[in-house]
Amino acid sequence: MWHDLRPLKEQIEPSMPASPPLNVVIWGTYDLGKPRTRLMVEAIRNSGANVTEVHVSVWDGAEDKSVLGKMAALGRILRWLAAYPVLLWRLAFLPRPDVIVVGYLGHVDVLVLWPYARLRKIPVVWDAFLSLYDTVVDDRKMVSPRHPLAWILKWWEWLSCRAAERIVLDTDAQADLFRDTYNLDRARATSVFVGAELSAFPISRAPELRRRSKVLFYGQFIPLHGIATIIEAARLARNKPIDWMIIGTGQMAADIRQMLAKDPPAALTWQEWVPYRDLNTHIAEADICLGVFGESSKAGRVIPNKVFQILSAGRPLVTRDGPGIRELVGHHANGVVLVPPADPVALLAAIEQLEAQAPFPPELHADLRAQFSLEALTRRWDEILREGVRS
């Protein structure tokens, strides 16, 4: 007897003609130190596209670009400028691709590419990922909105948006910001979740129930993360059986150090750095993991790397509420508690709520992981690239 060995899904659904693979060039000084960029490249390759990378590394080793010293920043700028003749020369000798993708941080890349792409009629998809103006002015408050640098950043970002057929952000709330700020139609500004590198953050077995809960935060010390709120919650916990672990450093490290020196919570440990490959070990050892708690509007629009990584590992999560995270978790998700920004009382109450719900099932967050799996990211990037080609 003959057996149909096709997957059941293919046997049930009518077969559709497969779209031909795209010829894609991923071009520029994109930052491969960011999981966002690595996942973008992996998803595009996974779609079956014929991918050529034309890349010059500029940002390797610069995790937080805002804390580079003057000489270090000057060195990066010189490397940045020297990269473009090389990148354009290499691109000129390639066959014409269907689409060129510019990755993060591509605000200059997309402008340098613009004349060449227009001349050869090649659509450009720019993974802007975030707004530099919003980050520098509204979120980190490094300059006033009235400062000339703020005006330059806003004009620069507006112009960069004109150089691409599609501008990609990490959430639709972020895409809405670009649509409203830079007068873009809905199709032109779109979004793809960041996701997580599943090999680096596999599902971890829940730790044994113990007398003291371990609560973990890790990330850059920037305003968006609201680290002061975590420290205040640890102070409020007083003699509660909770051990707090903070991993990270960055822009606000000096302020946090001063805050801890003035009134240190009894059960809080701060470790400045952990290798990326070791983060999942700390996540696996934690009973509850923390996301972001900043007050800025950006903190409500984004879903940071750590949130996807924690969900990937299957650990309970507390993070601030906002339109960005709602795109992923909706109004209820088991093992996830959303709290108001900058509210240490609500943060501590959320931790106690999750403590009361433990233990959690082994497949915690399986429904959420499906939304940012490699397969989901692959489908979404393929859709966006094909829309860019058709535009």
Side-chain angles (χ1 to χ4, degrees), residues 5-20:
L5 300 180
R6 292 175 298 156
L8 181 61
K9 182 179 179 181
E10 293 183 11
Q11 297 178 44
I12 295 173
E13 296 179 358
S15 60
M16 299 292 291
S19 300

Side-chain angles (χ1 to χ4, degrees), residues 236-262:
L236 289 172
R238 294 188 180 90
N239 297 322
K240 295 181 184 293
I242 302 174
D243 293 320
W244 305 75
M245 177 72 173
I246 292 178
I247 298 172
T249 190
Q251 177 188 350
M252 301 187 68
D255 296 334
I256 298 302
R257 187 172 288 107
Q258 186 176 19
M259 188 178 182
L260 290 173
K262 183 178 179 180

Side-chain angles (χ1 to χ4, degrees), residues 32-273:
L32 286 170
K34 297 295 184 186
R36 166 69 170 202
T37 309
R38 297 194 298 268
L39 284 162
M40 177 196 74
V41 173
E42 184 179 7
I44 294 173
R45 287 190 178 279
N46 194 56
S47 71
N50 301 311
V51 176
T52 302
E53 290 190 65
V54 180
H55 177 239
V56 173
S57 179
V58 170
W59 301 112
D60 52 302
E63 292 301 319
D64 187 349
K65 299 167 184 64
S66 68
V67 298
L68 289 173
K70 290 183 179 179
M71 293 305 296
L74 178 60
R76 299 281 177 172
I77 291 170
L78 293 175
R79 287 171 61 182
W80 204 3
L81 295 175
Y84 292 117
V86 176
L87 289 167
L88 289 170
W89 178 262
R90 291 170 59 189
L91 182 61
F93 285 91
L94 292 177
R96 183 191 179 281
D98 297 311
V99 61
I100 300 176
V101 178
V102 174
Y104 173 85
L105 177 66
H107 285 67
V108 174
D109 294 12
V110 75
L111 291 177
V112 172
L113 179 64
W114 193 2
Y116 178 89
R118 287 294 182 269
L119 182 66
R120 297 196 65 185
K121 296 182 171 56
I122 306 170
V124 174
V125 173
W126 173 34
D127 184 26
F129 179 40
L130 52 76
S131 166
L132 274 186
Y133 173 84
D134 178 52
T135 299
V136 171
V137 179
D138 293 332
D139 182 53
R140 300 200 185 189
K141 302 188 186 304
M142 298 172 74
V143 297
S144 161
R146 297 183 179 181
H147 193 284
L149 179 59
W151 302 340
I152 292 170
L153 281 174
K154 196 167 190 178
W155 172 82
W156 176 15
E157 205 156 63
W158 176 90
L159 187 63
S160 297
C161 290
R162 270 67 201 166
E165 277 65 39
R166 290 292 183 273
I167 300 97
V168 186
L169 290 305
D170 61 327
T171 65
D172 207 47
Q174 288 275 78
D176 278 339
L177 173 73
F178 269 64
R179 293 168 188 138
D180 295 341
T181 304
Y182 301 121
N183 192 29
L184 303 174
D185 63 41
R186 185 162 191 86
R188 193 166 190 179
T190 188
S191 64
V192 181
F193 284 143
V194 173
E197 295 172 297
L198 303 186
S199 60
F201 299 93
I203 297 172
S204 56
R205 187 172 61 182
E208 299 291 333
L209 291 176
R210 47 200 172 193
R211 295 180 61 186
R212 297 183 64 86
S213 296
K214 183 173 181 179
V215 175
L216 172 70
F217 168 87
Y218 66 91
Q220 294 178 6
F221 282 18
I222 54 177
L224 180 143
H225 288 165
I227 299 157
T229 300
I230 299 171
I231 293 172
E232 288 294 345
R235 287 172 177 167
L236 289 172
R238 294 188 180 90
N239 297 322
K240 295 181 184 293
I242 302 174
D243 293 320
W244 305 75
M245 177 72 173
I246 292 178
I247 298 172
T249 190
Q251 177 188 350
M252 301 187 68
D255 296 334
I256 298 302
R257 187 172 288 107
Q258 186 176 19
M259 188 178 182
L260 290 173
K262 183 178 179 180
D263 183 12
L268 186 143
T269 303
W270 175 14
Q271 185 171 339
E272 290 195 3
W273 186 79

